[in-house]
Amino acid sequence: MKFMKALSCATVLAGCVFSSASAADMTVGFSQIGSESGWRAAETTVTKQEAEKRGIDLKFADAQQKQENQIKALRSFIAQGVDAIFVAPVVATGWDEVLGEAKDASIPVILLDRTVDADKSLYMTAVTSDLVHEGNVAGKWLVDTTAGKPCNVVELQGTTGSSPAIDRKKGFEEALKGHDNLKIVRSQTGDFTRTKGKEVMESFLKAENGGKNICALYAHNDDMAVGAIQAIKEAGLKPGKDILVVSIDAVPDIFKAMAAGEANATVELTPNMAGPAFDALAAFKKDGKEPPKWIQTESKLYTQADDPQKVYDAKKGLGY
Ligand code: AHR
């Protein structure tokens, strides 16, 4: 492929003439985790839209939440000789070998929305939010809202071993340091899904005196929070009042819950990781310009004070 030649020139830094063709002659393989949440489904939609806008041939592979399927997809993209690979890595470890194979084939890899525990030379850049900061923002909101009052917190973690689950937990705990009124009494993975979020919240409620001992829920994503809200209601309690609800993603349905007074706060994660990734790739293709190793996306806090119904209406259709 034309880009491959241009890339090999870039790699050897010889005086090559880079392909002046537009991105339209580029093929990108995208290994997506699956569709475990509304946010993930929106990321897929937006990635396809962004590719279409640029005339890029996107080869899409859904891994159904399994790392082995992602590794298989990456190997298939390498065999096809794609110009670049995008991957949203389901977990943080186990990527060195296949990323090394992509590097040996001079195929740049860009990480979307999650990071990996691998040498940074094995990927071109990672387009992600500051996952620790997201947890920190959620924790700080709870510290401010409880204002020193005793509050037992339950936590629904994301997929075990994924960088958001690890980092969002870390950031939240950092925010709670020094505020002994706040105590995380239960913490378990809900795997970023509504179903599991509801199931695990049911077990938390049962274990904590029908929920009477619980003052707040921190969920690593809105989908688990929405599932948990259902469980709280079925236990006869008022989510958003008896049990405060703070989560991450800012998908439309959390604003629907906020408008009903059933959720309190969310930290936004843009589903458009692919736009900056395609732009970085085009810049590299055009003149060999390497992007920074991290392209950070914003994390904005939304609360019930932000006209949730209006935000819901605005967000519907943005890939959701
Ligand atoms: O990696 C981002 C996380 O993955 C989102 O917060 C969650 O909804 C998705 O499953």
Side-chain angles (χ1 to χ4, degrees):
M1 307 222 167
K2 271 186 245 160
F3 178 45
M4 294 285 285
K5 181 176 164 303
L7 188 78
S8 54
C9 293
T11 315
V12 300
L13 294 178
C16 302
V17 177
F18 289 103
S19 141
S20 55
S22 72
D25 66 347
M26 231 180 358
T27 301
V28 174
F30 176 29
S31 169
Q32 178 57 297
I33 292 173
S35 51
E36 73 281 359
S37 68
W39 183 90
R40 180 71 52 199
E43 184 188 53
T44 294
T45 302
V46 171
T47 301
K48 290 176 178 173
Q49 289 168 345
E50 291 296 317
E52 176 117 16
K53 258 168 35 179
R54 295 166 171 80
I56 287 170
D57 175 15
L58 187 77
K59 295 187 177 303
F60 180 79
D62 179 326
Q64 312 279 321
Q65 319 300 120
K66 292 188 173 64
Q67 182 178 30
E68 64 262 30
N69 291 343
Q70 291 202 283
I71 291 172
K72 269 193 215 124
L74 264 61
R75 287 194 166 124
S76 160
F77 294 146
I78 294 167
Q80 294 172 54
V82 297
D83 294 304
I85 290 171
F86 288 1
V87 53
V90 60
V91 291
T93 54
W95 296 97
D96 297 75
E97 196 180 329
V98 70
L99 292 179
E101 291 163 20
K103 184 173 182 177
D104 293 346
S106 301
I107 298 176
V109 174
I110 296 183
L111 308 179
L112 300 188
D113 75 80
R114 295 187 185 180
T115 53
V116 297
D117 295 347
D119 191 290
K120 289 184 169 34
S121 66
L122 291 174
Y123 57 86
M124 177 180 265
T125 186
V127 183
T128 78
S129 58
D130 180 335
L131 296 158
V132 175
H133 176 65
E134 291 171 330
N136 215 265
V137 169
K140 284 207 172 90
W141 173 84
L142 193 58
V143 166
D144 296 346
T145 304
T146 49
K149 281 198 289 300
C151 181
N152 288 339
V153 185
V154 293
E155 179 183 24
L156 288 170
Q157 296 181 36
T159 301
T160 304
S162 67
S163 61
I166 294 162
D167 289 348
R168 286 171 182 171
K169 181 168 187 48
K170 181 163 174 268
F172 186 76
E173 287 171 349
E174 276 169 7
L176 267 52
K177 270 203 191 96
H179 300 280
D180 300 342
N181 60 305
L182 287 158
K183 209 160 139 278
I184 301 174
V185 294
R186 303 249 166 208
S187 180
Q188 197 180 322
T189 183
D191 215 9
F192 284 129
T193 69
R194 290 189 186 200
T195 311
K196 201 94 172 75
K198 180 170 190 275
E199 224 175 84
V200 175
M201 189 66 202
E202 283 163 353
S203 70
F204 288 164
L205 291 160
K206 274 198 198 87
E208 293 294 338
N209 188 17
K212 291 184 188 55
N213 301 349
I214 302 171
C215 138
L217 161 68
Y218 166 52
H220 291 187
N221 83 333
D222 294 341
D223 278 61
M224 292 190 291
V226 168
I229 285 167
Q230 196 51 38
I232 294 168
K233 286 158 79 170
E234 287 171 7
L237 296 171
K238 294 192 182 72
K241 296 175 186 62
D242 299 331
I243 297 179
L244 296 170
V245 178
V246 55
S247 54
I248 298 169
D249 278 351
V251 297
D253 281 352
I254 204 67
F255 291 98
K256 208 156 113 189
M258 268 194 217
E262 295 176 348
N264 303 89
T266 185
V267 184
E268 185 174 49
L269 178 72
T270 175
N272 185 6
M273 302 281 173
F278 282 128
D279 292 346
L281 201 51
F284 180 69
K285 173 178 166 78
K286 185 165 161 287
D287 52 22
K289 181 168 160 281
E290 289 268 0
K293 279 298 174 186
W294 181 23
I295 299 173
Q296 184 182 346
T297 61
E298 292 194 27
S299 307
K300 177 178 162 31
L301 177 70
Y302 284 91
T303 68
Q304 288 179 358
D306 293 308
D307 193 348
Q309 188 56 51
K310 191 163 159 237
V311 180
Y312 173 83
D313 296 338
K315 273 189 174 266
K316 279 308 274 179
L318 291 182
Y320 291 102

